[in-house]
Amino acid sequence: MVLMMLTTPLSPRALPPPAATATPRHRLLAGLPPALLPLPDPRSRETSRGQPPAAPRRSATPPPRRAGPEEREGRRGAWPEGGALGHARGGARAWAGPGAAEGGSGSGRGSRPGRRKVRSSEVSWSPLHHLGTAHFLLPLCEQLAFNRHVVLCLCQPAAAMDIPVFILAGLLVHCVFLVSIFDIYFSSPLVHGMTPQQTPLPPPAKRLVLFVADGLRADSLYELDSNGTARAPYLRSILENNGSWGISHTRVPTESRPGHVALIAGFYEDVSAVAKGWKENPVEFDSVFNESKYTWSWGSPDILPMFAKGATGDHVYTFCYAAESEDFGAEDAAKLDMWVFDHVKSFFNSSRSNQTLFSALNEEKVVLFLHLLGIDTNGHAHRPNSREYQENIKQVDEGVKEIASLIDSFYGNDGKTAFILTSDHGMTDWGSHGAGHPSETLTPLIVWGAGVNYPQKVTTQFFEDNFLKEWKLENLKRLDVNQADIAPLMASLIGVPFPLNSVGTLPLEYLNTSALFKAESMFTNAVQVLEQFKVKMSQKKETTLSILFTPFKPLSASEQINYLKKIRLYIEQQKYDEAVSLCKTLINLALEGLSYYHTYDRLFLGLSIAVSFVGWTTYVILVIIKAHTNLTKTVPANKKKSTVLFYGFASAGMIITFFLLIQTCPWTYYIYCLLPVPVWYAVVKEIPVIQDLATNVLSLHIGQSAGFLLVCILGIEILVFSFFYRSALTVGLLVFAGWPVITQLWIQAKTKALIWTLLCVLLAIFPLMPVVGREPNIPLVIAAGLLTILISFFLLTSLCKSENKYRDNENLKVYFYQMFSVALSTYVVGSTHNSLKIKQGLPVMNQIISWMTLVFSPVLLLLSPTFLFERLFSILLSLMSTYLLLSTGYEALFPLALFGLMFVWINMEQEALQHYGLSLKPKLAVFNFTCTMDITQFRQLHLDDVRRSFFFVFFIVTAFFGTGNIASINSFDPASVYCFLTVFSPFMMGGLLLLKVAIPFVLVSCAFEAVQVTTQLSSKSLFLIVLVISDIMALHFFFLVKDYGSWLDIGTSISHYVLVMSLTIFMMVMNGLAQLLTTRRLGLPRRNKHHSM
Ligand SMILES: [Zn+2]
Ligand SMILES: [Zn+2]
């Protein structure tokens, strides 16, 4: 269905585009209600049977400004003003007719005379005027007899060849664009084939206990309670008396998996790994667990298995609870931590009667890993400032104390155990994580036991944040690390090789060992990082021509040897400090070199993708101009020229292929580098169109075209900006508010213009509000529900009063059901959140009602009449009842404001159409969605349609950023799905959140569907314009993709790009959905059938 929308673009001579028949809005006459069916004989004019006399036929009236072919020739070069509208009508019927197969052989050229005939026939081009009556179909039927052949001739070739090619090409090109950023910016940095590096000295500890308190914020652990006591007294005493402490800085995405990989494997997962899945191992990697002799781990089934899976041999053991235990709602999540502590205790108890286990536990290089998910779960459910979260920290503190003393006594206080407590990521005040806010990236690190430094008393510390004062820890040296530094720390404490892909630098200040050990460990660290650099360099060298290869100068082969020799010498001379600092220099250089080779091909790949982008966009613009406007006349293709062109481009392709071949490039490179060739070939082939266009444009007012271009660029820039600053939408909406004044529409329709301006201003407030989910405000949600019901009452009474003989009072029932459903949702939201507040969980009845509403509200909507306003109103009610259930704050008001604006928009577009003299005034109130024939698709584009498409894109973006942003969708805020479920289920929750995000889109799409059918805008040409807009935006975002700097920016930059790239496809899907919602109607069994609508 979606594919069909782009039917004509490649049709070379389609002027006007013929393939309306294939669009989804195509409705067979058979599907129309009997009262609206035309009479069988199209030529007989005595056809007033069954038609209300109120609407006189207009087919004899010459349309305003309709231009015949001659006139059009004469006006060529002027901007199209709808002059060519409505030729060749009747295509819909003809296409569906049985003659379809016969007419297929006709050629485009042969059809010309027939088309002229159609154009010059005196028919009304605006069926809108008659909608709601049967009259608009008559002219159509009149045309059928002699039009069928003609239309088929036009449609068939286009339908058979060009559509699939264009769509396939479009999909392919966009797939390449989309995938390319992962190859260009986010290929996996991991290399394989390094030699493991190990410090040749005996390690200080025999075993390591790693506690990871999932989702524990640094400040939550360190800060003192209001009465001045420590929240975690045991850990506080450790950092004051026994160990070292600091902050571990994590990177975005602050999620559990990347956090644990950084902690245990020592590298930061790249985005491609994250995209490939959280639970499985997308790439092979080495970890401290894998290097250990034995590792036992307890905790969540989401985390533990990935390290067991990655480990070679059978030495990493996991003990997990069932995934269902992670209930966010009723029960206390601290039980998850108690489960872990209890199992560790019984594990040690059981080892006393199990000789194999006992001796394994007494080996060296043993790791015990306790993953404590309770704090994270409580944080999501109750937010980090809650009593539950802080209580959980206390319980973890006690658990750690018990486990530490249990282990010490198990090993007879041999002083050979090292302990580390940290967390994988923090959490925002509103209970989410994933992004780069300091509350998410600052995690605690407390290390104590064998080989670890004691607290260092200091008088001054160099940290710019005020945390030390807040935490009353000014006098204890704070040692900050990057999260990946913890892996080498663990490895050197128990003396195992550093994980092969680790990029961490050993935090020496945590160690309480001999200076020799520190220097040797640092040296091991440097060699281990250098190994990765060497492997990476030799890989790049192999795949690059030797003349083109520019090595990373600071670390040439001789430089490497120099460094290593110097460090060795320093260690031998016992100049340990010099050795350590040289090691640090070497590590930094190697990391720099790693990223140098990693991004080696970036410029050249990026350029070739950008060239393709520009080519593709140019091509689509040419297609629009050629097929959907009368700006150019079709020029016959020069055959000789095109053969020359073809061979020219083919040889260019060959040269590129050869060049890539001798460099033994990866196969994806061929795609990126060869893509510009066919794309630009397609563009260059259209040179006559460009020349034609150029002469046309030059004959126009230069100022006018420049102004138009400027407005276009500004509009797109505002859209691009809105991705970074939601307030850009406010600016845009305020400009929209002035639209009636600028175009002087307000003279024509003062009230509508006023309402439009007011609603624009109202909607402009939303992007200024904070992102949804931070401050729950259930009373606002309830207010939104009540407001919806109030508006419904108002609208319904006005509906009842208004007279429309096609209305059926039976239909009013549907609205009452829908209003009841909204009322029910309002109640359920209030009662559920109350019940959760007093910790009684989600009432089953509420859950049932929520799911019932979710399932049945779309069905109710389909029962309502398909008259324009009635159906849109019904859509609003249905969507609102679902949206209310998913709301937690002010966002519940957003669909109402948005819908109001959309409602006025439909009216304003009608006024705009009139303003430009393009339409007889149709009665929107009696406009029926199902009665729209796609003959309207024959209208050609004019400039105002570009504006219309832009409004649509803008409103879609507003629907997206109006209440939140990408981060808030990615970050996990379970509060909004509490009416449906409280047990952790990522897919179900994700699905519901997506639904919540989609609802405003559906509203906009349905409104735009109404705009399309009432302004006779063709969805094909519309989507081509949207494609151009989104491609220009995508090119912006392609250059804005980042792989450096704050990790928040990186994640955001990718999602921007992906979002914009999928905009067109997304809008097509939305359009399809909107058509379904607006045109489908389920029959209700009813008693009296005299009204068949
Ligand atoms: Zn986590
Ligand atoms: Zn979490």
Side-chain angles (χ1 to χ4, degrees):
M1 188 154 106
V2 165
L3 298 192
M4 297 298 215
M5 271 175 232
L6 288 166
T7 31
T8 39
L10 280 188
S11 163
R13 282 159 216 199
L15 219 174
T21 51
T23 61
R25 222 188 296 130
H26 161 53
R27 279 136 212 151
L28 299 183
L29 294 186
L32 287 172
L36 292 180
L37 268 184
L39 291 171
D41 180 6
R43 282 175 207 201
S44 86
R45 295 228 165 189
E46 16 119 42
T47 52
S48 47
R49 259 183 298 153
Q51 293 150 15
R57 291 190 52 198
R58 285 299 264 273
S59 54
T61 320
R65 301 222 195 172
R66 219 192 107 261
E70 302 81 8
E71 193 187 336
R72 262 191 67 231
E73 291 297 311
R75 278 194 316 129
R76 222 169 52 72
W79 289 110
E81 293 178 339
L85 303 181
H87 331 300
R89 55 190 11 225
R93 179 58 188 267
W95 183 241
E102 306 150 29
S105 55
S107 73
R109 195 162 297 175
S111 66
R112 295 223 157 210
R115 276 169 68 208
R116 274 178 194 281
K117 220 176 194 172
V118 182
R119 275 185 203 168
S120 53
S121 66
E122 293 271 325
V123 289
S124 162
W125 60 274
S126 171
L128 284 174
H129 183 73
H130 307 287
L131 290 177
T133 76
H135 289 267
F136 77 97
L137 289 168
L138 288 174
L140 162 74
C141 301
E142 284 167 349
Q143 300 298 322
L144 286 180
F146 52 92
N147 254 7
R148 178 180 293 162
H149 172 73
V150 173
V151 174
L152 287 177
C153 293
L154 284 170
C155 296
Q156 197 73 350
M161 298 163 0
D162 296 325
I163 315 140
V165 174
F166 183 80
I167 291 177
L168 259 179
L171 274 180
L172 212 84
V173 167
H174 282 90
C175 276
V176 174
F177 288 162
L178 200 58
V179 175
S180 70
I181 60 156
F182 289 100
D183 251 327
I184 296 172
Y185 293 104
F186 303 108
S187 51
S188 171
L190 296 193
V191 285
H192 298 282
M194 287 81 65
T195 332
Q197 301 296 326
Q198 194 173 357
T199 314
L201 297 170
K206 280 169 86 173
R207 64 200 78 87
L208 173 88
V209 186
L210 172 64
F211 301 95
V212 175
D214 202 307
L216 175 59
R217 286 162 61 149
D219 55 350
S220 298
L221 179 68
Y222 293 136
E223 76 191 357
L224 299 175
D225 269 341
S226 47
N227 52 7
T229 55
R231 201 161 283 156
Y234 175 70
L235 291 168
R236 182 82 181 192
S237 77
I238 290 281
L239 69 88
E240 279 171 355
N241 308 313
N242 306 68
S244 299
W245 76 285
I247 287 174
S248 154
H249 297 263
T250 68
R251 283 199 188 175
V252 174
T254 43
E255 297 287 355
S256 292
R257 185 199 152 103
H260 280 90
V261 169
L263 279 174
I264 295 160
F267 68 90
Y268 303 103
E269 266 194 320
D270 60 299
V271 180
S272 63
V274 175
K276 277 173 197 157
W278 295 86
K279 292 191 178 175
E280 289 185 21
N281 258 359
V283 280
E284 296 261 312
F285 61 80
D286 189 25
S287 67
V288 173
F289 294 176
N290 186 38
E291 297 290 352
S292 72
K293 178 95 188 177
Y294 294 107
T295 295
W296 288 273
S297 55
W298 294 264
S300 157
D302 297 336
I303 296 299
L304 304 188
M306 84 181 163
F307 294 103
K309 236 190 219 168
T312 49
D314 188 20
H315 64 285
V316 178
Y317 306 100
T318 59
F319 305 92
C320 315
Y321 38 77
E324 294 79 55
S325 316
E326 295 170 24
D327 191 315
F328 284 80
E331 274 189 86
D332 187 9
K335 281 184 182 159
L336 297 176
D337 302 339
M338 296 308 122
W339 186 97
V340 170
F341 293 135
D342 290 343
H343 275 72
V344 175
K345 285 177 211 161
S346 60
F347 171 80
F348 275 98
N349 280 336
S350 69
S351 72
R352 296 189 198 274
S353 54
N354 180 341
Q355 195 48 52
T356 2
L357 181 58
F358 187 82
S359 57
L361 271 172
N362 277 293
E363 292 271 1
E364 290 185 354
K365 303 178 185 179
V366 162
V367 178
L368 300 160
F369 170 42
L370 284 74
H371 174 237
L372 307 167
L373 192 62
I375 294 174
D376 181 69
T377 315
N378 263 326
H380 286 309
H382 309 285
R383 291 154 206 250
N385 288 321
S386 66
R387 196 183 47 77
E388 286 84 356
Y389 186 86
Q390 295 173 357
E391 199 60 38
N392 201 161
I393 296 175
K394 214 161 248 160
Q395 282 164 302
V396 164
D397 182 62
E398 279 160 25
V400 170
K401 182 182 178 183
E402 284 177 38
I403 296 298
S405 74
L406 170 87
I407 288 174
D408 279 340
S409 68
F410 180 87
Y411 290 106
N413 291 318
D414 64 350
K416 285 288 181 190
T417 315
F419 297 89
I420 294 182
L421 181 130
T422 183
S423 82
D424 54 347
H425 51 76
M427 190 169 279
T428 55
D429 285 342
W430 50 97
S432 73
H433 55 82
H437 191 265
S439 61
E440 294 161 273
T441 58
L442 303 186
T443 62
L445 173 65
I446 301 178
V447 189
W448 71 102
V452 183
N453 242 344
Y454 289 105
Q456 301 169 54
K457 295 263 188 286
V458 287
T459 45
T460 49
Q461 303 204 45
F462 181 75
F463 283 106
E464 278 172 6
D465 46 33
N466 288 321
F467 289 132
L468 287 167
K469 240 184 203 158
E470 275 172 41
W471 302 337
K472 304 226 162 45
L473 286 169
E474 301 105 309
N475 299 325
L476 291 172
K477 193 165 188 187
R478 165 179 155 188
L479 307 166
D480 280 19
V481 300
N482 292 319
Q483 201 172 27
D485 298 342
I486 297 174
L489 176 64
M490 294 195 287
S492 51
L493 279 172
I494 53 170
V496 297
F498 289 29
L500 291 175
N501 294 109
S502 164
V503 293
T505 310
L506 182 63
L508 280 182
E509 288 197 274
Y510 275 89
L511 290 181
N512 178 25
T513 54
S514 65
L516 173 66
F517 183 85
K518 284 183 187 173
E520 281 288 356
S521 297
M522 209 60 204
F523 184 61
T524 315
N525 196 173
V527 175
Q528 170 255 333
V529 178
L530 188 66
E531 275 282 317
Q532 294 181 65
F533 168 81
K534 282 194 208 156
V535 172
K536 191 96 196 171
M537 184 184 73
S538 67
Q539 273 179 3
K540 194 85 286 166
K541 214 171 183 175
E542 273 169 31
T543 59
T544 313
L545 278 184
S546 51
I547 351 158
L548 294 174
F549 183 74
T550 354
F552 181 66
K553 295 237 167 58
L555 267 189
S556 60
S558 57
E559 278 296 316
Q560 292 174 27
I561 297 170
N562 253 347
Y563 271 110
L564 295 178
K565 266 187 183 163
K566 236 185 201 167
I567 297 169
R568 248 304 125 231
L569 194 72
Y570 278 141
I571 292 177
E572 277 162 20
Q573 294 170 346
Q574 300 189 346
K575 291 180 179 167
Y576 299 125
D577 289 342
E578 285 90 340
V580 166
S581 82
L582 205 57
C583 282
K584 282 183 179 161
T585 319
L586 182 57
I587 290 174
N588 288 336
L589 277 178
L591 290 177
E592 229 173 82
L594 259 175
S595 97
Y596 170 83
Y597 285 119
H598 187 59
T599 57
Y600 195 76
D601 298 327
R602 185 166 295 179
L603 180 72
F604 131 82
L605 288 180
L607 271 181
S608 66
I609 290 292
V611 168
S612 306
F613 242 121
V614 175
W616 170 257
T617 312
T618 317
Y619 178 67
V620 178
I621 293 175
L622 287 178
V623 165
I624 296 175
I625 288 169
K626 209 169 77 166
H628 294 274
T629 69
N630 52 7
L631 272 183
T632 60
K633 73 162 181 253
T634 41
V635 190
N638 186 341
K639 267 202 170 167
K640 217 182 213 171
K641 228 179 177 177
S642 63
T643 5
V644 173
L645 265 181
F646 177 79
Y647 284 113
F649 274 89
S651 49
M654 303 263 268
I655 294 169
I656 295 172
T657 315
F658 175 73
F659 181 73
L660 293 172
L661 249 167
I662 48 173
Q663 295 207 58
T664 55
C665 285
W667 63 273
T668 43
Y669 281 36
Y670 290 83
I671 297 175
Y672 304 143
C673 299
L674 288 175
L675 187 65
V677 178
V679 170
W680 278 98
Y681 173 63
V683 173
V684 173
K685 248 173 65 181
E686 306 293 344
I687 274 188
V689 180
I690 303 172
Q691 287 168 343
D692 207 23
L693 185 71
T695 41
N696 268 340
V697 171
L698 284 180
S699 68
L700 284 172
H701 287 293
I702 302 280
Q704 203 182 344
S705 347
F708 173 73
L709 221 81
L710 194 75
V711 171
C712 278
I713 292 170
L714 269 179
I716 290 178
E717 288 310 310
I718 282 194
L719 281 181
V720 170
F721 254 87
S722 68
F723 277 70
F724 298 98
Y725 311 99
R726 285 164 63 217
S727 47
L729 287 176
T730 305
V731 176
L733 281 168
L734 291 179
V735 174
F736 279 14
W739 170 55
V741 181
I742 299 163
T743 55
Q744 301 196 324
L745 268 176
W746 65 278
I747 302 171
Q748 195 179 319
K750 285 208 168 74
T751 333
K752 284 178 191 170
L754 193 69
I755 300 174
W756 164 270
T757 308
L758 279 178
L759 281 170
C760 275
V761 173
L762 184 68
L763 199 65
I765 298 170
F766 282 92
L768 297 177
M769 305 280 273
V771 166
V772 160
R774 305 202 169 173
E775 291 302 325
N777 195 341
I778 300 301
L780 261 185
V781 181
I782 293 169
L786 295 179
L787 192 63
T788 315
I789 296 169
L790 201 74
I791 293 171
S792 315
F793 266 118
F794 179 70
L795 282 176
L796 263 189
T797 39
S798 70
L799 247 170
C800 290
K801 277 180 197 161
S802 76
E803 282 177 29
N804 182 353
K805 61 185 78 178
Y806 297 101
R807 281 192 184 110
D808 188 339
N809 281 339
E810 285 276 308
N811 292 325
L812 290 178
K813 276 188 187 168
V814 177
Y815 296 117
F816 283 116
Y817 289 137
Q818 288 191 307
M819 281 164 62
F820 179 68
S821 156
V822 171
L824 210 58
S825 300
T826 313
Y827 164 75
V828 166
V829 168
S831 106
T832 303
H833 285 271
N834 264 339
S835 158
L836 285 173
K837 216 182 225 165
I838 52 173
K839 300 202 84 184
Q840 287 186 342
L842 166 62
V844 180
M845 199 55 212
N846 286 5
Q847 195 172 14
I848 293 172
I849 294 174
S850 299
W851 284 103
M852 296 269 273
T853 308
L854 183 70
V855 174
F856 287 111
S857 62
V859 180
L860 268 180
L861 168 177
L862 292 178
L863 290 173
S864 66
T866 48
F867 290 107
L868 186 91
F869 291 143
E870 274 100 324
R871 178 48 77 96
L872 286 178
F873 172 48
S874 182
I875 289 173
L876 173 74
L877 285 182
S878 266
L879 295 180
M880 268 312 277
S881 59
T882 315
Y883 198 83
L884 284 173
L885 288 175
L886 290 166
S887 298
T888 55
Y890 75 91
E891 82 267 25
L893 292 164
F894 182 67
L896 280 180
L898 188 65
F899 181 80
L901 186 63
M902 293 297 103
F903 190 81
V904 187
W905 184 34
I906 298 166
N907 285 291
M908 288 301 282
E909 285 297 354
Q910 214 49 49
E911 298 292 338
L913 217 58
Q914 260 184 296
H915 186 69
Y916 294 104
L918 290 171
S919 173
L920 303 166
K921 190 165 186 172
K923 280 204 166 157
L924 283 180
V926 291
F927 189 89
N928 193 323
F929 275 116
T930 48
C931 294
T932 355
M933 293 293 296
D934 240 0
I935 43 176
T936 55
Q937 296 252 344
F938 289 95
R939 176 159 88 81
Q940 290 197 328
L941 286 174
H942 41 89
L943 273 187
D944 214 30
D945 290 327
V946 177
R947 191 220 11 107
R948 242 166 234 133
S949 312
F950 177 76
F951 270 34
F952 177 48
V953 177
F954 188 90
F955 286 137
I956 284 279
V957 174
T958 309
F960 191 85
F961 289 108
T963 60
N965 63 17
I966 298 143
S968 79
I969 293 165
N970 283 351
S971 313
F972 172 55
D973 181 23
S976 46
V977 299
Y978 275 167
C979 289
F980 292 90
L981 72 169
T982 53
V983 176
F984 183 73
S985 153
F987 287 103
M988 192 70 90
M989 288 176 158
L992 286 169
L993 286 176
L994 267 185
L995 182 76
K996 182 181 174 185
V997 172
I999 282 174
F1001 293 139
V1002 178
L1003 273 181
V1004 175
S1005 301
C1006 288
F1008 191 59
E1009 170 74 8
V1011 169
Q1012 273 184 65
V1013 294
T1014 54
T1015 60
Q1016 304 158 291
L1017 186 58
S1018 119
S1019 29
K1020 297 185 298 290
S1021 35
L1022 158 77
F1023 277 108
L1024 287 176
I1025 300 177
V1026 172
L1027 188 66
V1028 171
I1029 295 178
S1030 65
D1031 274 348
I1032 296 174
M1033 284 167 73
L1035 189 61
H1036 265 84
F1037 289 124
F1038 178 77
F1039 288 116
L1040 293 176
V1041 170
K1042 282 182 185 168
D1043 72 324
Y1044 57 88
S1046 135
W1047 271 68
L1048 174 64
D1049 300 346
I1050 298 172
T1052 317
S1053 70
I1054 304 170
S1055 24
H1056 286 168
Y1057 185 65
V1058 173
L1059 251 158
V1060 173
M1061 289 293 275
S1062 36
L1063 197 64
T1064 317
I1065 296 171
F1066 175 73
M1067 285 185 183
M1068 285 180 178
V1069 174
M1070 278 294 151
N1071 195 56
L1073 185 69
Q1075 278 170 15
L1076 184 94
L1077 289 181
T1078 50
T1079 59
R1080 286 300 129 114
R1081 178 150 194 226
L1082 301 173
L1084 261 185
R1086 50 186 76 203
R1087 275 155 285 148
N1088 51 345
K1089 289 221 164 188
H1090 58 267
H1091 284 308
S1092 43
M1093 267 311 286

